[in-house]
Structure formats: structure tokens, C-alpha cells
Amino acid sequence: MNTRVLPLRLGVNIDHVATIRNARGGGFPDPVRAAKLAEQAGADGITAHLREDRRHISDEDIERLIDQLTVPLNFEMAATDEMLEIALKHRPHAACLVPEKREERTTEGGLDAASGQNHLKSIVDELMKAGIRVSLFIEPDPVQIDATVALGAPVVELHTGAYCDARQVERRQHLDRIITAAAYSAEVGLECHAGHGLTFDTVGPVAALSEVVELNIGHFIIGEAIFGGLEIAIKRMRALMDKARAESGAAKSV
Ligand code: PXP
């Protein structure tokens, strides 16, 4: 009998390199350069969110990422016709549907897949027909997981923001919700990703969950890069993920 640890991918979100660039309206720092560096430092994928108001990533950034990346691009998008058209034009490896409100600072909650919004079904269908792997960014809630299955998307990304923002006791409660949701998503046949707000301090317990196969992390890594460089920040995150994974029950008998 062999024991192996299921691999856990790290998607590095480079949105906030563009936030800094856009603060001065020029060309640097270049998010595509950051993405290439992230690849070299061990990122398994790059995540970028083209927001409707283009506050960070631009249309041109997406074009350049598609041209230059050698790892998969996970295109975060609102479920709108405009974003669908852009995704179908570029055909990224994956698309993650997220809720978007113009006034929010970041993606503050998960997508309400259970609200019966008819347009979600057609957007999921169109993306899947184009060969794009679709995920829904949802709260760690079984109702949303069931709705994801009903919509036909193969992947969920569990929102870890509330867990990361909470203090000790509440944090444990939020972690329990993530643990339950990750197990349930695997039970119903979904691939499970997680992300939002993860840091060196909060990544371990999520990385330890055997059902979670991808983490998407941005803001903290880009912030850390200011102090020690992007490569060091990514390698440290990667090492913490791998350590938590190796020490956990993610070791499966095969
Ligand atoms: N996953 C999704 C779906 C997101 O919207 C974001 C934020 O853009 C992230 C992951 C990464 O979150 P953070 O930048 O807080 O690490």
C-alpha cells in the first residue's frame, strides 16, 4: 500500500500589482511581469479578475496574460454578457464566476447560485461549451453547493474571507463551515477550491483539507512582496501549504 498526499495547487492572483500601477496611471509595476515571476516561483496558475469598472486588471492585461503565460489562467468574472464575450474571445483555462458590486472594495460575499438567477445557467453553459472549466465562488454553504451542481458547474471555490477576518472563536466556527462544505462538495462530485483573504497565518487549516485541490491567493502575497520580494512570498506560502498538507489527513492510501 502506497501513501500519497493529494496535490494542492496555488493560484496567485496578480490583481493588486495592477492596483498599484493604476494608482499612477502608467505602465508599472506590470502585472504580467509579476505573473511570469510567480510562475517561476512555483505558482501552478495565475488568477486575474477583470472587474466591470476595470479598477485593476485591464483588457490589455488579459490579452497579454493569455499570450505569455505557460501556466493556466483562471479568469475571474462577473456573470454578465460583457464578461462572457471576453471569456469566449480569449478562452482561458478556467473561469470563476464571482458576484460583483461596484461599490465594494473586494469580492465581499459568495455568488448566490441558489437564487434561481436564470442567466447563471446560460453563462455556465456557454463557458463550458467553449471548453472553459467553470467554478462558482460561493459561501461555504451546502445550499450553494447544491445549486452549483444544479447549474452544472464542475468546480466550487469556497469563500474563505469570513474565516480569515474572524477572531479566534468565530474563526473556528467559520473554519468548521469550510470543512463541512469541502467534504460535501467532494461528496456531490465537485472539485473544491478555496480562497480570499488567506495569509501565512490562516492558510494552514484550509490547505490541510484533503478535498481542497486549489487555493487562490492574491492580496496578502502581493503585500508581502513589498517587504521581501514576490518570489520569497510565494515560496513561503507554497511551503506553508505543503507543510499543512503533509501533516494532515490529506495523506490518502492508494
Ligand atoms: N478567489 C476569488 C474568487 C477572489 O475573488 C479573490 C479576490 O479577487 C481571491 C480568490 C483572492 O483573494 P485575496 O486577494 O484576498 O487573496
Side-chain angles (χ1 to χ4, degrees):
M1 191 163 62
N2 238 334
T3 301
R4 89 182 152 85
V5 175
L6 296 173
L8 176 62
R9 297 190 296 269
L10 171 60
V12 173
N13 181 316
I14 41 94
D15 290 352
H16 295 301
V17 179
T19 303
I20 298 171
R21 175 195 61 193
N22 295 359
R24 287 293 172 93
F28 60 86
D30 177 11
V32 180
R33 182 176 168 203
K36 300 293 292 172
L37 242 173
E39 277 183 351
Q40 286 162 26
D44 301 292
I46 297 298
T47 293
H49 185 177
L50 184 66
R51 290 189 74 105
E52 291 181 275
D53 62 9
R54 308 300 197 270
R55 70 176 70 159
H56 37 57
I57 293 295
S58 68
D59 297 69
E60 195 197 338
D61 293 332
I62 295 295
E63 274 170 36
R64 291 172 58 231
L65 287 167
I66 290 280
D67 280 351
Q68 296 183 37
L69 285 182
T70 56
V71 295
L73 175 66
N74 175 31
F75 179 67
E76 281 182 13
M77 54 178 272
T80 63
D81 290 343
E82 182 201 12
M83 289 300 149
L84 176 63
E85 196 180 313
I86 293 169
L88 294 179
K89 178 173 156 210
H90 293 300
R91 295 181 184 239
H93 166 80
C96 180
L97 296 179
V98 301
E100 214 177 282
K101 295 189 212 97
R102 264 168 207 270
E103 65 279 10
E104 70 189 353
R105 265 185 295 183
T106 180
T107 314
E108 281 165 10
L111 195 68
D112 191 0
S115 68
Q117 302 164 59
N118 292 330
H119 75 286
L120 274 181
K121 177 74 185 142
S122 62
I123 287 182
V124 170
D125 285 350
E126 290 282 324
L127 291 168
M128 302 252 305
K129 250 194 281 162
I132 300 167
R133 192 148 175 84
V134 181
S135 68
L136 264 51
F137 186 49
I138 58 164
E139 292 298 320
D141 174 352
V143 171
Q144 298 298 338
I145 292 169
D146 286 340
T148 303
V149 173
L151 286 167
V155 184
V156 274
E157 179 164 331
L158 302 178
H159 198 312
T160 52
Y163 154 72
C164 292
D165 291 345
R167 289 170 200 274
Q168 291 312 319
V169 178
E170 289 85 6
R171 181 174 284 176
R172 180 67 232 184
Q173 289 161 357
H174 285 293
L175 180 61
D176 287 342
R177 289 181 69 208
I178 294 169
I179 292 170
T180 306
Y184 185 57
S185 63
E187 205 179 300
V188 297
L190 295 172
E191 181 173 311
C192 186
H193 301 178
H196 208 284
L198 291 168
T199 66
F200 292 154
D201 289 338
T202 53
V203 77
V206 182
L209 304 178
S210 62
E211 301 87 358
V212 175
V213 298
E214 180 174 308
L215 297 180
N216 286 299
I217 310 178
H219 185 257
F220 180 80
I221 287 179
I222 302 305
E224 275 299 296
I226 293 169
F227 304 107
L230 190 56
E231 187 178 347
I232 288 176
I234 291 173
K235 287 194 164 153
R236 171 122 196 258
M237 189 61 85
R238 176 87 258 173
L240 290 167
M241 287 164 55
D242 292 345
K243 180 168 180 279
R245 198 82 170 165
E247 287 172 359
S248 77
K252 285 270 160 78
S253 296
V254 289

